[in-house]
Amino acid sequence: STGTIQVWDTETLTEVSRVEHGNSYVQAVALSTSGDSLAGVSRRGKLTVWLLPEGATADGDGGATSLEK
């Protein structure tokens, strides 16, 4: 859906985190190797890093904290 980034576990095929990012179009994303943060950049060059809580789920924003630059 628009405004949502989903992180999936490729072994279990389950959603492990969901981040609501508003109406901006996210052009690229990167997940940290530890799985605790997600970075996304918009077409306009706005970089956002979300801190993902351990065991985040798909309800709401999963408790993610947004750090925008």
Side-chain angles (χ1 to χ4, degrees), residues 1 6-8 10-11 13-14 16-17 21 23-24 27 34 38-39 42 45-46 51 53 55-56 59-60 62-63 65:
S1 70
Q6 297 168 292
V7 179
W8 291 80
T10 57
E11 290 184 17
L13 302 179
T14 57
V16 294
S17 187
H21 63 83
N23 295 328
S24 62
Q27 188 165 335
S34 63
L38 177 73
S42 72
K46 178 181 175 183
L51 304 178
D59 52 353
T65 302

Side-chain angles (χ1 to χ4, degrees), residues 4-69:
T4 304
I5 299 171
Q6 297 168 292
V7 179
W8 291 80
D9 182 318
T10 57
E11 290 184 17
T12 63
L13 302 179
T14 57
E15 184 178 310
V16 294
S17 187
R18 177 181 294 198
V19 174
E20 303 294 335
H21 63 83
N23 295 328
S24 62
Y25 176 82
V26 174
Q27 188 165 335
V29 296
L31 181 65
S32 67
T33 55
S34 63
D36 64 356
S37 59
L38 177 73
V41 65
S42 72
R43 282 190 208 171
R44 295 184 176 162
K46 178 181 175 183
L47 173 66
T48 304
V49 177
W50 293 273
L51 304 178
L52 305 174
E54 188 174 333
T57 61
D59 52 353
D61 67 357
T65 302
S66 174
L67 306 171
E68 296 181 338
K69 179 69 177 167

